[in-house]
Amino acid sequence: MRLAALCDVKPHPSSPSSDDDRSGARERMVDSMVLRGIRSPRLLSALRSVPREVFVAPGMEEHAYNDRPLPIAEGQTISQPYIVAAMLEAAAIGAGDTVLEIGAGSGYAAAVLSRIAKRVYAIERHPSLVDPARARLAALGCDNVELQAGDGSRGWPGELRFDAIVVSAGGPDVPPSLKAQLAPGGRLVMPVGEPDRQRLVKLTRRGDDDRYDREDLGAVAFVPLVGEQGWADDAVPPATARPRRRARGQQLPELLAQAVEPLPEIDDPAFGRHFDRYADRRIVMLGEASHGSAEFYRARAAITRHLIERHGYGLLALEADGPDAAVLDRHVRGRDDCAGAAGATLPFQNFPSWVWRNAEFAAFVAWLRGHNQAITAAGPRTSVHGLDIYSLVGSIAAVLAHLDAVDPPAARIARERYGCLTPWQNDPATDGRAALHAGDAECEAAVVAQCRELLGRQLHDAGTDTGADVESLLDAAQNARLAASAERYYRVMYHGGAASWNLRDSHLAQTLAQLLEHRGPRAKAIVWAHNAHIGDARHTDMGRRRGELNLGQLARQRHGEENVALIGFGSHAGSVAAAHDWDGPIQVMPVRPSLADSVERLCHDTGAPSFLLDLRPDRHPALRQALAEPRLQRYIGVVYRPETERRSHCAEASLAPQYDAWVWFDRTSAVTPLGTEPARPTAPETWPFGL
């Protein structure tokens, strides 16, 4: 079927020009929350019923269902939808509860609460926000909400007790007045910490005395709670004027130089032995700061060889599509007829030339095949699996090919969106530039149909001649799960944003968990993926400001931090294989020297050509405290645009809690691709955002 013919369809309800479209966007927002663990049926129903676009600033309606905070009047923000949902779920609000909200803003959370609780009391510090919020709530029929202006840090005037208190602003600690207004068994959820960086905490009052259970729910970033029992107004400078704290950082170069462990050459057997300390973890994740740097592939290969040979790791999971990786698995375990020289007949033809189909990875695959062949028939052989999803680059290619044919301006915008809207994107104008115009929604159903057809062909081809053994049945089960949820993913993917990233990384984590479960409780896995996937997103701008999660975070939460090692990689300068645009040709580009205020510059200033930095909680406490301060960190994917590096390839991250280890190469070089770069890729380049 020709793609152009598929475009003769009625507009899908997700057209950005209609109320139905907003309902569709709201439904996708709620779907993404379910994937992130929001379970309360009453809460999910409330989120589906409240139109968030009513509560955002004029002109921001098209961004209402992006999972990110948005500005409102008085320098305040409407919190990102997932954070609202997570706080309300943590507060465990019942149908008969009386709830207090502090920091009502434009009224969105109060509206959601009105659909859940019996009675809602809300306080907003800025009087100018109160009347507009009341009008919105009245228009939506929220007649069980009482809203007033006041100092929220002092609680609600009078003698009321509340079953739950939700505070949408960060204070130095939980105000005593709010603790006193909790009913016995009541729950309070609030961000606590510095004005620009907090931890979300939950207090539960045990009885009618002053005993409270306290639970840490993770890192967040809220506007400050200003008031008598919060921050003084003049003690909180504007975020743009707030200087980065330097007192701890003045000694940081010395602390770092003392803690780093110089690494030998990658080919030296001693290189792998440096990572024995992480071999007690069930999962070891090995990152990369770019897809196209040879040292990252070679180092991961050396570490993986050592862990397989010395510590019994039997699963290698890649940031690659499952069906394509299944072909590779049959090769390395001798379950096919592949033979001959590496690079000539290895099953790399469906991978982009510089991501997996390169000489560095081919050398490792040749070693793994030889290692498995040397094992007796009864012994365990190391398998290779893909964690990724839905024929990703084929799907993107279908979108771009269709738009090239029917709407070239929209195709240009789509390339901007796919190539530039990274999880760490810091340029607010990018949303406006990269949003597809209203007319392209007519093609959504066509693209979804084409993507499903591509996936169907890939799954069929991957299932050919696999036999009926247990591994083939596992492949079939994974593929059936892909096919069952493909359409929802393609619709989310088409519109981009945090929801598509979260859906993808939730799939990565679920697939990894299923592989381990299939292999049994003693199975141990190694994962190769980009730093953006393995560095715990809760300690980066991805999680703090954009509401994005990732594989490393989900693995820690699911399997326990003591069972997962997250090892990131970084470099200062050199060269990299990448493209300037999403579907552009491969280029070997110079990597710009690291920025002055970045993690990479700190590492470069040690003068060490390569090192390992052990970031486990029991090591280097003073250094870990200093490295908890957010600093820029560089991420290069399939797309690299050096001219906009700070905006498009850097994010603030707290290195120490983000990883368990950091591997450093001061200079890196581009990978060596195998074969000729195809004109249009037919398999995943790890969408979305080139990661």
Side-chain angles (χ1 to χ4, degrees):
M1 184 183 299
R2 293 183 59 190
L3 185 58
L6 285 171
C7 201
D8 186 19
V9 295
K10 296 180 180 179
H12 188 266
S14 61
S15 166
S17 61
S18 67
D19 290 340
D20 285 346
D21 178 49
R22 296 249 166 84
S23 296
R26 196 179 314 137
E27 192 68 29
R28 289 192 293 273
M29 177 191 77
V30 176
D31 284 348
S32 73
M33 293 180 184
V34 173
L35 290 168
R36 297 178 69 177
I38 302 299
R39 294 288 179 262
S40 167
R42 287 178 60 82
L43 174 57
L44 294 170
S45 177
L47 290 164
R48 289 189 175 97
S49 70
V50 175
R52 190 171 185 252
E53 67 271 14
V54 172
F55 296 91
V56 303
M60 299 296 290
E61 292 85 356
E62 67 177 297
H63 306 302
Y65 295 102
N66 292 345
D67 197 25
R68 62 189 300 177
L70 294 173
I72 57 175
E74 299 288 355
Q76 303 301 293
T77 61
I78 175 174
S79 297
Q80 63 197 67
Y82 172 72
I83 289 296
V84 173
M87 292 177 72
L88 299 190
E89 179 143 289
I93 298 164
D97 285 351
T98 299
V99 180
L100 173 63
E101 186 206 4
I102 306 299
S106 62
Y108 175 68
V112 176
L113 281 166
S114 75
R115 305 291 202 258
I116 305 171
K118 179 180 179 180
R119 187 73 184 169
V120 180
Y121 295 82
I123 301 176
E124 170 51 47
R125 180 170 69 95
H126 296 280
S128 63
L129 297 179
V130 172
D131 285 342
R134 284 177 179 153
R136 295 183 191 100
L137 293 167
L140 292 173
C142 303
D143 54 7
N144 61 339
V145 179
E146 184 173 344
L147 173 61
Q148 67 175 233
D151 180 357
S153 73
R154 299 175 59 184
W156 190 265
E159 302 298 325
L160 284 174
R161 292 278 193 101
F162 297 96
D163 301 295
I165 300 176
V166 179
V167 185
S168 300
D173 206 342
V174 178
S177 293
L178 297 184
K179 295 167 70 173
Q181 290 194 337
L182 270 183
R187 293 81 55 201
L188 180 148
V189 179
M190 172 183 173
V192 170
E194 297 296 322
D196 58 347
R197 188 171 65 254
Q198 306 104 18
R199 306 291 297 182
L200 191 65
V201 301
K202 176 181 178 180
L203 292 189
T204 303
R205 189 166 193 168
R206 292 185 181 180
D208 206 20
D209 53 13
D210 290 331
R211 294 182 301 156
Y212 302 87
D213 293 324
R214 188 177 180 117
E215 182 181 355
D216 187 324
L217 303 179
V220 290
F222 275 78
V223 296
L225 176 67
V226 174
E228 181 181 302
Q229 298 181 30
W231 295 102
D233 199 2
D234 59 1
V236 184
T240 55
R242 202 171 296 143
R244 187 184 298 278
R245 292 191 299 274
R246 295 294 184 188
R248 291 182 306 185
Q250 289 172 354
Q251 298 179 351
L252 184 52
E254 293 81 5
L255 290 171
L256 187 61
Q258 293 167 10
V260 301
E261 303 173 38
L263 287 169
E265 293 296 321
I266 294 174
D267 294 331
D268 188 325
F271 185 93
R273 291 198 291 270
H274 275 75
F275 299 86
D276 285 336
R277 71 195 76 185
Y278 305 105
D280 61 338
R281 310 289 178 99
R282 191 179 190 201
I283 302 169
V284 174
M285 296 194 182
L286 303 176
E288 59 185 357
S290 71
H291 284 314
S293 299
E295 285 74 13
F296 300 151
Y297 284 89
R298 293 178 56 223
R300 292 190 298 187
I303 298 166
T304 302
R305 287 196 299 267
H306 185 78
L307 293 178
I308 289 173
E309 290 180 321
R310 302 297 181 187
H311 299 288
Y313 285 80
L315 283 171
L316 175 60
L318 306 177
E319 181 194 336
D321 267 4
D324 289 303
V327 177
L328 184 59
D329 180 57
R330 292 196 292 274
H331 171 70
V332 299
R333 289 200 283 169
R335 300 167 62 212
D336 63 0
D337 295 328
C338 293
T345 58
L346 285 178
F348 288 125
Q349 297 308 306
N350 284 334
F351 289 106
S353 61
W354 69 95
V355 176
W356 295 117
R357 198 154 41 89
N358 58 62
E360 290 77 15
F361 187 56
F364 170 74
V365 170
W367 172 86
L368 183 56
R369 181 178 170 92
H371 170 80
N372 280 336
Q373 287 177 335
I375 296 173
T376 62
R381 296 186 175 188
T382 299
S383 58
V384 179
H385 302 272
L387 299 179
D388 228 321
I389 190 171
Y390 309 131
S391 305
L392 298 174
V393 121
S395 304
I396 293 296
V399 174
L400 296 179
H402 180 72
L403 294 178
D404 280 336
V406 301
D407 193 343
R412 288 193 295 272
I413 296 171
R415 285 184 173 85
E416 177 80 4
R417 181 181 64 187
Y418 293 139
C420 206
L421 265 181
T422 60
W424 50 85
Q425 180 61 253
N426 291 314
D427 181 6
T430 303
D431 280 341
R433 288 199 309 270
L436 295 181
H437 59 69
D440 102 298
E442 298 178 2
C443 300
E444 180 192 2
V447 168
V448 169
Q450 176 72 357
C451 291
R452 285 192 60 85
E453 182 178 331
L454 288 170
L455 176 63
R457 286 202 300 269
Q458 188 184 32
L459 297 183
H460 177 271
D461 293 345
T464 303
D465 298 326
T466 61
D469 56 21
V470 173
E471 295 298 334
S472 297
L473 292 176
L474 174 63
D475 290 342
Q478 295 280 17
N479 293 343
R481 183 164 61 88
L482 289 179
S485 57
E487 181 160 340
R488 184 174 76 171
Y489 176 77
Y490 289 136
R491 294 198 186 281
V492 172
M493 178 207 77
Y494 189 78
H495 294 279
S500 56
W501 176 272
N502 290 343
L503 180 58
R504 181 192 177 198
D505 271 52
S506 296
H507 176 87
L508 300 181
Q510 183 180 3
T511 302
L512 176 61
Q514 289 178 332
L515 289 170
L516 287 167
E517 182 179 359
H518 170 72
R519 284 295 186 90
R522 299 176 65 86
K524 301 171 74 174
I526 301 168
V527 176
W528 289 20
H530 196 281
N531 284 351
H533 292 294
I534 73 159
D536 191 325
R538 293 172 294 182
H539 307 292
T540 72
D541 272 355
M542 293 170 61
R544 290 171 178 159
R545 302 192 183 278
R546 290 178 58 91
E548 290 168 330
L549 48 75
N550 68 359
L551 173 61
Q553 168 191 340
L554 293 171
R556 278 178 167 178
Q557 291 173 326
R558 181 164 190 159
H559 303 283
E561 296 198 13
E562 70 282 2
N563 293 316
V564 180
L566 307 181
I567 302 177
F569 288 67
S571 69
H572 166 68
S575 62
V576 67
H580 278 300
D581 293 300
W582 173 256
D583 57 350
I586 181 176
Q587 299 184 44
V588 174
M589 307 182 202
V591 176
R592 293 185 63 175
S594 56
L595 296 169
D597 49 350
S598 66
V599 167
E600 289 83 4
R601 181 56 60 90
L602 284 174
C603 295
H604 173 68
D605 288 347
T606 65
S610 65
F611 63 71
L612 169 66
L613 176 60
D614 192 337
L615 292 170
R616 290 176 295 176
D618 59 342
R619 302 297 301 270
H620 317 301
L623 177 62
R624 279 183 53 81
Q625 184 178 6
L627 289 177
E629 180 177 331
R631 288 177 173 80
L632 290 180
Q633 190 177 130
R634 179 162 57 195
Y635 303 81
I636 300 173
V638 168
V639 172
Y640 182 41
R641 293 172 179 162
E643 66 279 3
T644 61
E645 180 171 290
R646 179 182 287 270
R647 186 180 73 241
S648 57
H649 296 286
C650 292
E652 285 205 336
S654 301
L655 189 75
Q658 185 187 7
Y659 300 105
D660 296 287
W662 179 251
V663 178
W664 176 253
F665 296 99
D666 197 63
R667 296 192 66 85
T668 50
S669 55
V671 295
T672 303
L674 296 175
T676 303
E677 173 68 4
R680 184 176 294 278
T682 58
E685 289 186 6
T686 55
W687 190 90
F689 315 133
L691 283 170

